[in-house]
Amino acid sequence: MTTGTLYGVGVGPGAPDLITLRAWRLLTGVPVIAWPAPGDGDSFARSIVAGCIRADHVEIPIRVPMRTERFPAAEVYDAAAVEIAAHLDAGRDVAVLCEGDPFFFGSFMYLFQRLSDRYPFEIVPGVSSVMAGGAAIARPLAARNEVFSVIPAPLGDDRIEAQLAACDAAAIIKVGRHLGRMRALLDRCGLTAQSCYAERLTLETQKLARLDDMPGDAAPYFSMILVYKGEEAWPSPVLETGS
C-alpha cells in the first residue's frame, strides 16, 4: 500500500498573508495537520494558518515544554512521530507546521530526523523572521561580500563576541530573557548604536526600537537584535524617523 507523504511546511513569521501559495495549497488539501505548541497555551503556528484549517482536518498537537534542558522534548517528538507514522502508514498525507522556515531553527527537523528514512517527504520553505526583520527596519541585512551571521542569544558571551568579531552583520535570535545580557555585551563591543531591536515581527503587536532606547531586561521569545557593523552606510529610516 502506498504511504502518505510527510510535509514540513514553513508558515512564515506571523502574518497570515506571508504564507506561501504552495503552503496554503498543501494545508487546504491534506487530511492531517500537526502543529507545535508550548506545554500550556495556544500554538503560534496554528494561529497563523487558522483560516485554512477545516472542521474535518485531523489535528495533532505537539506540545513541548519550553525548558532549557532537552528532556522531555525527545520523548515528545518520539511520541509525535509514532502518531504521525500511523497516519502515513494508512495512506494519509500529514503536514507539520513550523513557524518561519522548517530547516531554519525549526522544530520540524526533529520529526524529519525520525521519519524521513521511511516515508516520502517534501519541505516547503517559509519566510524567516530574520528576513522579516530586515524588511521591518528597512535596512539591508548585508551587501556585496559581507558576512552575515545568525547567533542564538543563549550561547555564552565569549562565543557570541567571537562571532560578532568575525562578521559584518548579525541577527541575534531567541533574545527573550537574555535581552539585558545582550545589551551589555553589545555595549562592551561598541555596537549598541548600530543595533536594532525587533519583536513579534509582522504582527499587529510588532515593536521596533533602537537597542539603546530599550528599557528593561526582558523580551518575548520571538524577538531579535539586528546588528550592522560593516563598511556600508546602512541607517534604518524606519528607526531614524520613528515611523
Side-chain angles (χ1 to χ4, degrees):
M1 182 177 64
T2 302
T3 68
T5 297
L6 174 70
Y7 294 97
V9 182
V11 297
D17 56 356
L18 284 177
I19 302 169
T20 66
L21 292 175
R22 178 176 294 186
W24 189 271
R25 174 177 57 80
L26 282 170
L27 293 175
T28 54
V30 298
V32 183
I33 296 179
W35 37 261
D40 297 305
D42 298 330
S43 166
F44 181 44
R46 188 191 187 283
S47 71
I48 296 172
V49 302
C52 69
I53 295 180
R54 306 184 309 270
D56 62 337
H57 267 127
V58 175
E59 298 188 56
I60 302 175
I62 306 170
R63 295 197 173 274
V64 181
M66 300 297 288
R67 301 176 184 174
T68 55
E69 67 272 18
R70 296 185 65 84
F71 179 85
E75 291 190 357
V76 171
Y77 289 121
D78 286 342
V82 170
E83 187 172 359
I84 290 170
H87 288 284
L88 295 172
D89 287 335
R92 292 185 286 271
D93 295 338
V94 180
V96 181
L97 307 183
C98 192
E99 298 99 341
D101 181 88
F103 278 173
F104 185 71
F105 295 94
S107 58
F108 171 74
M109 66 182 69
Y110 304 112
L111 293 169
F112 180 82
Q113 182 184 43
R114 289 162 169 79
L115 297 167
S116 60
D117 61 340
R118 291 181 283 154
Y119 303 100
F121 60 83
E122 180 180 333
I123 313 301
V124 182
V127 177
S128 76
S129 59
V130 173
M131 303 303 112
I137 66 171
R139 187 179 73 182
L141 298 173
R144 297 187 176 87
N145 295 322
E146 293 175 335
V147 176
F148 181 80
S149 293
V150 179
I151 305 172
L155 292 176
D157 285 8
D158 290 347
R159 188 170 176 190
I160 294 176
E161 289 187 34
Q163 290 295 321
L164 288 171
C167 70
D168 300 294
I172 301 175
I173 62 172
K174 304 180 182 179
V175 172
R177 60 188 176 87
H178 303 283
L179 175 60
R181 182 169 65 90
M182 291 302 98
R183 185 165 45 205
L185 184 153
L186 289 165
D187 191 51
R188 287 198 306 273
C189 295
L191 296 172
T192 303
Q194 296 139 273
S195 301
C196 299
Y197 171 85
E199 70 178 50
R200 298 187 176 94
L201 286 159
T202 75
L203 301 175
E204 291 184 359
T205 52
Q206 172 180 284
K207 180 177 181 179
L208 307 172
R210 291 168 54 92
L211 184 59
D212 48 14
D213 291 338
M214 278 297 297
D217 292 334
Y221 180 78
F222 289 108
S223 60
M224 73 175 65
I225 298 170
L226 295 171
V227 185
Y228 184 78
K229 56 188 282 282
E231 296 181 357
E232 301 289 333
W234 294 127
S236 167
V238 171
L239 297 182
E240 293 296 328
T241 61
S243 59

